[in-house]
Amino acid sequence: MSCPICGRATDAKLRPFCSKRCADIDLAKWMSGSYAIPSTDPEDVEEAIEAAEKARQEDTKH
């Protein structure tokens, strides 16, 4: 099995990664939302728009 980040051979202790660095890169991708799956559900879209508008209003208050 190869590391999903860089393609090198994996380390048994860090599987499926080859190093702590690659594991950290993967974690950062999860935390930033890079691995998010876009939704086409109309309710999700409406909720996202409402949340964005609310956040924008909060930003303009400060």
Side-chain angles (χ1 to χ4, degrees), residues 3-31:
C3 177
I5 302 299
C6 71
R8 292 188 294 203
T10 61
D11 181 331
K13 293 184 215 173
L14 299 166
R15 192 170 182 188
F17 307 105
C18 66
S19 66
K20 176 86 168 97
R21 178 183 173 274
C22 284
D24 288 344
I25 290 170
D26 185 70
L27 178 61
K29 286 182 178 184
W30 278 106
M31 294 181 75

Side-chain angles (χ1 to χ4, degrees), residues 1-60:
M1 173 179 231
S2 62
C3 177
I5 302 299
C6 71
R8 292 188 294 203
T10 61
D11 181 331
K13 293 184 215 173
L14 299 166
R15 192 170 182 188
F17 307 105
C18 66
S19 66
K20 176 86 168 97
R21 178 183 173 274
C22 284
D24 288 344
I25 290 170
D26 185 70
L27 178 61
K29 286 182 178 184
W30 278 106
M31 294 181 75
S32 71
S34 294
Y35 289 143
I37 299 172
S39 173
T40 57
D41 184 345
E43 289 181 18
D44 290 341
V45 173
E46 289 177 22
E47 289 176 16
I49 291 170
E50 290 171 6
E53 289 174 353
K54 184 177 179 181
R56 187 179 60 218
Q57 289 173 356
E58 292 293 322
D59 286 343
T60 58

